[in-house]
Structures are given as C-alpha cells and as structure tokens.
Amino acid sequence: MPQHLNRIQVRILTRPLQSLHFVFLQPFGGGLAGVFWIIVLLQNPIVTAVKGLEAIAPLVRSVEETPEPISTEVQGIIPPWINGKLLRNGPGKFEFGNTHYNHWFDGMAMLHQFKIEKGQVTYMSRFLRSDAYKKNSERDRIVMSEFGTLAMPDPCKNLYQRFISLFHMDPSDNANVNFVKYKRDYYVSTETNFMHRVSPENLETLEKVDWSKFIAVNGATAHPHYDHDGTTYNMGNSYGSKGFLYNIIRVPPEKTDATDTLQGAKVFCSIVPANRSHPSYYHSFAMSENYVVFIEQPIKLDVLKIVTCKLRGKALSDGIYWDPKQETVFHLVDKHTGEISSVKYYTNAICVFHQINAFEEGGFLMLDMCCSDDGQNINNYLIQNLRKSGEALDEVYNTICRTFPRRFVLPLDVTSETPTGQNLNTQPSSKATCVKISKDKVFCQHEDLHGEDLHKYGGLEFPQINYDGYNTRPYRYFYGCGFQHLVGDSLLKMDLKGKTLKVCDKGTFLLVLDAKTMEELGRASVPVNMPYGFHGVFNAAI
C-alpha cells in the first residue's frame, strides 16, 4: 500500500428509493488524519428542516433477500487496495402473514455484504436463519415475541397449553443488531443470550451459540470491546440466587480447537444495581487501557413487569421506563484484578447508547459518549411512527431529544486526602469539571465536544473512531451520523482540535470519500432497495 494512502476508514450510508439517505459507520484500518470512507446510499435529496420531513416508510418495509452477489456500477475511483467485505446487520422483515411487528427493533435480521475488490463492488444479502425466522416462516405468523411485539398463543394448542405458555417467554435469537468477533469468528448478535456464528463469505447461518451454556449470564450486549491481543470484553445481566447483577465478561483471544466458540469465557466482575428490582438498561459500555467503565443510567427495567409481561398481555418494552429523577453513575472496574472502585462518579440523568472512546491521561480517565437528556426516545421508534408522513411525522421528530457528543473527566486518584468542594480536573485539554462531594462520591459535569454548528444537523449518533489505532488512546477525530430526521441523514466528521465539523450529504450510490477533506473519490450504484440497519464490521482480505 502506498505510504500516503495508509490511513483508511470504511463507512456505509444507506437510503431507500423515494426517500432520504441514511448513514452507517464502520472502520477499516486507519490513522489519525488521512482517512477514507466508503458510503452506501440509496436515493433522493437530504431533508434539512424539522417541518415537511420526507417520509421514510421505505426504510422500514420488508425487502427480499439478494442471496447471490450482484454487480454495482462504479464511477470515479474506488482505491484498488481496499479489499474485503463490509458486513452489516439490521431488521429487514416486519410481518409474517397477517401479523406484523410493532417496533423497529423487532424486524427479522437481514445480513448485508458489500465485497470490495480491485476497485469493484458487489452486493448480496440474506436473512439470518434464526429459530425465530424459521418458526415464523413455517407458520406464516409471528409466533416468537420480540422487544416491542408480543406473540399471541398458538391457536393450535389446547386451552391448558395456551394457559401455561403465558407464564413462559423464550428469549429471541433474532440477532439483528451487530456483527461481532470472538476468537476470529464472526457472529451476529442482539442483547439476549443467543448469537449466531455466520460465514462472512456467503452470509450463511452456521451455528446458534448460547452464552448461558458457558457463563452465568442471561444475555450480552452487541457492542463488545477488544484488547490489542484479541481478548474480548463484554457485559451481560444475570438473574439468579444472588439477585440481579451486571456482569463483566472476558473471552480469550484464541480457540483451543476447531469447534471452540465461547469456551474459556469468564465473568470476572459483578456489579450490584442500586435498585435490584429496577436495574438499568444498557446498550454498551466503555473501556480504557486499564478499566472497564459501566454507565448505570436512569433507563430502568421494572423486573416484575418484565417477568409478567406475557401474562399481562404486554410486550417486553412495557417494562422499560425513564426516571429523570435518578442520577447517572459511572462504575470503574480494574481490568487486571476485577476490583470495583469504591469511588463512584455521578452526573445528571443522561441517556447513553454508544460511547466514542475512553482513555487515561495524567491521572484522569477521559470518557467520551453520545448523550441525550431524555431516555424516552426508544418509545418513538414504533413502526407506526416511522411510517407516518406529513405533519404527523414532523410531530414525532419534534418530540425526540437530540443526542450530542460529550466528555466526562473522572479523577483516578481520589483518596481521603482529596479536597472536597473544588474542581479536581487539572487537565488543560478539557473544561469538564469533577468535584468530590463526599468520601466516595465525585460529581462530574461534562464538556461539549462540539460547536454550535452541530445543532443544525440534529446532533450526532452512531459514533466511530479508528478503533484499531486509537481505542483506549488519546485521539483527535471521530465520525458519526447527523440526525435531521428520525434516523441518521448525514455523515459528520468531528475534529476535537477546535471542535470543528465537516459534513457529507450525498445521493444514490456507494460513495468513497477522502475523510480528511470529505471530497468524493468514487461511487458505486447499488441496484436494490435496502432497509435501514444498525451496525457492522469490515472483514479485510488477507
């Protein structure tokens, strides 16, 4: 690879026919400044106003899979040294027969592959052959409950069987959130205890894997972190004899044999919730060089409601609520010893789905996250809301709290000698404050990682850095999606030096950008309609 082209990142932007475009991010190699992006877009001009929003219903309609690779039409130049497969995941089917899902998160997992080789691009997609997909397909109706949809009892069962089924809800294996890696294998994951190992070559569903067969957890996030040696960290809940616990998981980097999946996984730390009957929901967590950081936020799980949801005729989502009276707590766990810091770091009620980065510097832990001040947004992503148009769609959008990048500074050396009532942050690089207010409590106020110009783009989510080069380390640039609509509609580049912003708004094609300048290098038209998805990875050719 030429030296001046040794810093790359790959990203994907999608949008449907007759609608605006949407952004997804995924890294490929890379360095600090000169970074390339690959962006897939599907059609129409971008919407910039909060009134008269363009309908996005095509993004949440069922589509057909494309099981064989199809060619794209390339214009310009896609750098020929970018070789590999961009793998993406998200919902792609929203009904079976006369039954339909209520929530966007419920749709059946559709796996996407963009194969990039010698300047050319092919596309293919396949539905994950999960048990949920197969059972629903066999009966042509929804028979397995999802996050926002309660499946009705099977009318073919007798009355007693239907009654008993009300007391038992099987967790779904509809792994539609992310592609993740464990021991060099690719899996698709949601937040239950089930994952599926898949082939990056043809998207074939290979093997269902159950976390609970290896460690005492009832699920795990779809956003693990990776050490440089390949060791993987994740978090999962458990509901056992010790009550509800947040568990930090470590998975070794190598297989012991060809059949190895999660063998050797360990729970190396368990954190007790502030309220065991109302623990916090979390979508991800942060990790620095020496610490795992768990954010206990005021999005709460009502355990009683959740365990009785089927009996009450309610979906799982009915047991999740936002409590703005609760503070947010940052828990630090030593990655080497599993010891939980006795010092707890607090801030006001915030909602966090994705972290940007975390690193240690000068005795402080810098924690960068995308935050909003209201955690009720999850309830707005009902299918019926996403398929609205006109003023009804504008009204939904205008009720959503915007998400912005923020930095919290956590002092690592708080002792009994540390003074109270004064700002402990001595790092000149950040204006965030952290004040010791009692023996083991530090209250933190964030610093904004953006300027005023980000407001007109609707804030920023789906953050991404050059993970291999800068995760757990000081960094300068990150990328994300602007949200001038219910879902991302632009690609943003943030420069922490000066908090400056660059924006890309484009049309219908896979787009290759020089991410330093955000100038276009090439494009490849994708000839099929695609639904909006969530996350993915780049599988580089070796």
Side-chain angles (χ1 to χ4, degrees), residues 111-246:
L111 316 182
H112 308 264
Q113 181 208 86
F114 300 84
K115 184 177 181 180
I116 306 160
E117 185 175 32
K118 298 179 181 179
Q120 299 299 311
V121 180
T122 60
Y123 169 79
M124 66 179 296
S125 65
R126 298 184 72 172
F127 283 110
L128 176 70
R129 264 53 179 186
S130 62
D131 289 348
Y133 179 85
K134 289 186 289 188
K135 290 179 181 178
N136 293 340
S137 298
E138 288 168 2
R139 295 167 177 79
D140 197 28
R141 61 185 293 270
I142 296 172
V143 298
M144 292 194 69
S145 298
E146 301 290 343
F147 170 76
T149 305
L150 178 67
M152 292 297 102
D154 189 342
C156 296
K157 292 182 177 180
N158 63 41
L159 182 61
Y160 175 74
Q161 290 172 322
R162 294 170 67 185
F163 176 75
I164 291 299
S165 72
L166 293 175
F167 296 89
H168 180 72
M169 180 180 288
D170 294 323
S172 175
D173 66 336
N174 177 34
N176 66 2
V177 177
N178 201 1
F179 271 87
V180 297
K181 290 181 70 175
Y182 292 97
K183 303 181 182 181
R184 304 184 184 180
D185 283 336
Y186 287 88
Y187 295 82
V188 286
S189 175
T190 178
E191 296 180 342
T192 70
N193 54 302
F194 296 118
M195 299 190 300
H196 285 271
R197 188 167 63 89
V198 298
S199 167
E201 300 300 321
N202 59 13
L203 303 182
E204 181 184 357
T205 304
L206 300 176
E207 180 181 5
K208 181 178 176 180
V209 177
D210 184 349
W211 275 102
S212 66
K213 301 297 184 184
F214 300 91
I215 52 176
V217 297
N218 302 99
T221 81
H223 289 288
H225 276 292
Y226 307 94
D227 263 345
H228 299 290
D229 67 352
T231 300
T232 307
Y233 293 83
N234 208 335
M235 289 196 64
N237 295 333
S238 63
Y239 324 93
S241 59
K242 297 180 180 179
F244 192 106
L245 296 172
Y246 312 118

Side-chain angles (χ1 to χ4, degrees), residues 235 246 271 280 282 285-286 292-296 329-332:
M235 289 196 64
Y246 312 118
I271 301 171
S280 291
Y282 55 94
F285 62 101
V292 168
V293 186
F294 170 57
I295 300 97
E296 190 173 20
V329 186
F330 303 125
H331 300 269
L332 268 60

Side-chain angles (χ1 to χ4, degrees), residues 477-489:
Y477 301 102
F478 67 95
Y479 302 81
C481 305
F483 275 74
Q484 296 174 96
H485 211 295
L486 290 175
V487 286
D489 63 348

Side-chain angles (χ1 to χ4, degrees), residues 62 215 308 391:
S62 296
I215 52 176
T308 61
E391 292 182 0

